Amino acid sequence: MTGNEYLQGKRAVVTGGSRGIGEAIVRVLHHAGAKVAVNYRSSADRAGRIVGELNEIRPNSARAFGADVSDPKEVAAMFSSIDEWVGGVDVLINNAGYEDCRHLLDISYESWTKVLHTNLTGPFLCTQEAGRRMETQFRADSASSGVIINLSSIHDSVPRKGFAHYSAAKSAVAMLTKATALELAEYNVRAVTVAPGAIRTDMNREEIAQFGEHRFREWIPLSRVGETHDVSELVAFLCGPQAAYVTGSHLYVDGGYMQGLVQYDPRPPR
Ligand code: NAP
């Protein structure tokens, strides 16, 4: 016990919890006292290792669930298995994501649908499954509340070459958050979008190296690439009681990237 288990008794589901930002979110929610369902698609070994470590700290506090979030049957089966394990859901983190950088004119139908289905249909399916459970849970017990966090991207509002499908999906998921906040508020469920900038994970490690990290330091006002904890700590805060009045909001975690896009420079003298 750390004395700061503000999510004690909460049951959290983190999609794409096997790597990167998702893994960091799994760890911080667990540290705050939650029981965590760690979803993965292909990284069974990694998910198993994370869950093993967490169960060493608190027995039966984490379990891995394989499911492709874009497949309605697999999502339904995953939530049924989570019911059997912990009997419900209090927190859903729609983190699983996929990008496939291609020129707009070269995006195949398959690439379009995979990017849209992973980044948008997945959060929709998981929100329905979790939301239906939260509807009955929190109607009966209005002192408790549910939380749904959707991971978007700065590219939900700023386009980038090669990201037409990814940007379209992330922009839509940000609107899904607002619809969720509006429609589930009567069940005491909050929904928030967290939109990262450049965060060092498998998704963009090569890209950061290819462009050169010094260029990111120039582009980003806080002068560094983000780390996974920069996102996970905010997500955990949003799940907790201190964020009880926050819903429908959209938060960038980008070191000020979005504010530094116009780079006429040099700085005015002072
Ligand atoms: P990552 O390192 O590439 O990890 C992606 C995670 O998503 C993995 O756990 C992967 O599971 C899972 N996943 C992918 N497709 C899935 C599917 N169909 N069903 C279930 N799980 C699936 O990504 P990340 O950088 O941590 O990104 C996490 C989220 O933040 C994403 O939504 C991403 O779009 C967003 N984001 C990231 C950045 C960044 O700079 N990294 C910036 C903006 C937004 P397996 O390993 O099991 O396949």
Side-chain angles (χ1 to χ4, degrees):
M1 299 280 272
T2 64
N4 194 22
E5 283 91 358
Y6 56 91
L7 295 180
Q8 197 172 12
K10 299 289 182 190
R11 300 152 298 181
V13 180
V14 181
T15 69
S18 52
R19 287 190 280 136
I21 294 170
E23 175 181 350
I25 294 171
V26 163
R27 291 183 185 280
V28 76
L29 296 184
H30 184 269
H31 187 70
K35 280 195 167 193
V36 189
V38 181
N39 160 255
Y40 65 92
R41 183 195 47 183
S42 56
S43 307
D45 289 353
R46 283 196 64 129
R49 211 163 42 242
I50 295 164
V51 160
E53 284 174 29
L54 300 181
N55 284 328
E56 288 273 305
I57 299 167
R58 283 201 326 270
N60 195 31
S61 57
R63 196 175 281 193
F65 295 87
D68 178 342
V69 294
S70 65
D71 182 318
K73 287 198 179 101
E74 291 190 24
V75 170
M78 174 173 74
F79 276 87
S80 296
S81 303
I82 293 169
D83 284 343
E84 283 166 24
W85 178 45
V86 283
V89 179
D90 304 289
V91 172
L92 167 66
I93 314 295
N94 280 315
N95 163 80
Y98 169 72
E99 62 180 42
D100 182 28
C101 189
R102 283 173 204 281
H103 191 284
L104 173 63
L105 302 183
D106 296 329
I107 294 174
S108 64
Y109 179 76
E110 287 69 29
S111 173
W112 173 264
T113 50
K114 185 168 178 184
V115 170
L116 265 287
H117 282 165
T118 306
N119 293 290
L120 178 58
T121 309
F124 163 68
L125 294 172
C126 292
T127 294
Q128 271 199 335
E129 290 290 341
R132 287 172 183 149
R133 286 160 174 79
M134 290 174 179
E135 175 187 1
T136 51
Q137 283 168 209
F138 303 132
R139 255 186 186 162
D141 174 10
S142 59
S144 304
S145 61
V147 186
I148 298 175
I149 308 284
N150 291 329
L151 269 289
S152 179
S153 161
I154 56 171
H155 299 301
D156 65 11
S157 57
V158 177
R160 183 186 149 189
K161 289 176 181 172
F163 272 25
H165 42 3
Y166 183 75
S167 287
K170 291 300 194 185
S171 184
V173 92
M175 183 50 83
L176 175 65
T177 305
K178 295 182 187 184
T180 304
L182 182 66
E183 298 208 55
L184 301 192
E186 65 179 299
Y187 309 128
N188 221 2
V189 175
R190 299 184 291 109
V192 180
T193 298
V194 170
I199 307 296
R200 198 187 315 275
T201 67
D202 294 345
M203 192 177 262
N204 61 12
R205 213 176 298 276
E206 250 177 53
E207 192 174 74
I208 293 167
Q210 190 188 329
F211 282 125
E213 193 156 338
H214 64 284
R215 294 182 72 195
F216 284 86
R217 285 199 288 270
E218 282 165 18
W219 294 330
I220 298 168
L222 284 182
S223 200
R224 67 175 174 85
V225 170
E227 305 295 342
T228 56
H229 67 81
D230 289 312
V231 182
S232 62
E233 294 291 346
L234 174 65
V235 168
F237 172 82
L238 290 168
C239 292
Q242 286 164 306
Y245 205 52
V246 180
T247 195
S249 309
H250 182 290
L251 293 161
Y252 291 112
V253 196
D254 67 346
Y257 207 165
M258 300 277 289
Q259 315 310 319
L261 294 174
V262 178
Q263 304 232 359
Y264 297 134
D265 253 1
R267 284 191 292 167
R270 64 175 302 255

